[in-house]
Amino acid sequence: MIIEQLVEWRKTEDNMEVIAANPPDLIVPISYGAIDKDRLTLGTVQNINRAISLMRLFPDAKMIISSCSYLFADAGFREEILRSQIIQDAGLPDRTINARYMINSVGEAEAVREKAAQHRISADRIAIVTGPMHSRSARLIYQYTFPKSKIMIVCTNWKKEFQPHHRAPIQRTAWRWFFANEARYALLKTIGPERIKNLHHRTSVKS
């Protein structure tokens, strides 16, 4: 598949040998939002589950999560509740902190930074769990937000970064999501994170 080849070509990721040699202080699973009040997106689920596996590998690490608030009314609250249940079931609530809600990845990184500082959590080494199509933007955003930290990217399955009934139409097909990420990365490189932190994707209640 052409799209699969493009995703592999454009992604950025650190292998587990690098991460094991630099045990993360902080693990951040990127939010892909919720579908409705009872269901997380596939991307959010796979990111939180991969983050949980990293938490078990690195028992000294903390996890900070920020939920997406713009997709529908109370979206941030519902996502936080649903993810917290997964974390509770995994037995890791004491090592996880919920940050304020956000509307895009720049705001997510800022929310994580604020909460890490508030709780005096070391962020010298940060593992970001995200999908391959989003990986380059995530690395750039976190390098900007945490300039003194070592940023490590852990990629999940690209086929779960999008789904037909996502509240953001741009995230309903592979090609739409791929080009959306290419456009975001170009904006980040040209005008910087500060200029786009108040922007978010168009939403729709249509399925």
Side-chain angles (χ1 to χ4, degrees):
M1 292 174 60
I2 294 176
I3 183 65
E4 188 167 7
Q5 293 172 342
L6 286 172
V7 170
E8 187 65 25
W9 173 51
R10 298 297 280 169
K11 80 174 183 180
T12 177
E13 182 177 26
D14 296 278
N15 64 48
M16 285 306 299
E17 290 181 358
V18 170
I19 297 172
N22 299 273
D25 308 300
L26 179 60
I27 296 169
V28 181
I30 296 297
S31 168
Y32 283 58
I35 290 291
D36 54 38
K37 66 183 181 68
D38 298 314
R39 294 178 298 163
L40 297 169
T41 61
L42 297 176
T44 298
V45 171
Q46 72 168 354
N47 288 349
I48 191 66
N49 284 333
R50 185 71 178 97
I52 286 169
S53 71
L54 291 174
M55 293 281 281
R56 288 172 173 153
L57 282 175
F58 304 106
D60 293 329
K62 301 292 186 182
M63 178 162 60
I64 298 179
I65 61 175
S66 172
S67 298
C68 185
S69 64
Y70 78 91
L71 293 170
F72 57 88
D74 293 327
F77 173 73
R78 293 308 308 170
E79 181 185 346
E80 183 176 295
I81 292 295
L82 294 169
R83 284 208 284 183
S84 293
Q85 185 60 60
I86 294 173
I87 293 164
Q88 179 72 38
D89 292 344
L92 296 171
D94 294 340
R95 294 170 56 199
T96 305
I97 299 168
N98 288 306
R100 63 175 170 83
Y101 304 151
M102 52 76 190
I103 62 170
N104 65 23
S105 295
V106 177
E108 186 173 23
E110 291 181 344
V112 169
R113 181 182 61 193
E114 291 167 7
K115 194 58 69 170
Q118 180 183 340
H119 287 261
R120 298 183 179 180
I121 296 171
S122 173
D124 292 337
R125 298 175 301 277
I126 307 174
I128 308 298
V129 182
T130 190
M133 287 189 267
H134 184 258
S135 61
R136 289 194 309 146
S137 291
R139 190 185 293 278
L140 194 156
I141 289 167
Y142 277 82
Q143 286 174 338
Y144 176 85
T145 308
F146 294 87
K148 296 182 180 179
S149 302
K150 181 175 180 61
I151 305 301
M152 298 170 286
I153 303 293
V154 177
C155 286
T156 49
N157 187 346
W158 69 273
K159 293 181 180 179
K160 293 184 178 180
E161 288 191 77
F162 57 91
Q163 61 191 99
H165 302 291
H166 200 288
R167 290 298 184 107
I170 202 73
Q171 214 160 335
R172 290 179 183 170
T173 71
W175 283 108
R176 285 184 186 179
W177 185 235
F178 176 80
F179 285 117
N181 279 279
E182 291 298 301
R184 173 174 49 207
Y185 184 74
L187 283 174
L188 287 167
K189 292 289 286 185
T190 54
I191 66 175
E194 283 294 321
R195 298 283 295 277
I196 69 169
K197 69 179 184 179
N198 294 318
L199 304 178
H200 62 72
H201 301 303
R202 182 173 64 86
T203 61
S204 172
V205 296
K206 295 179 181 179
S207 60

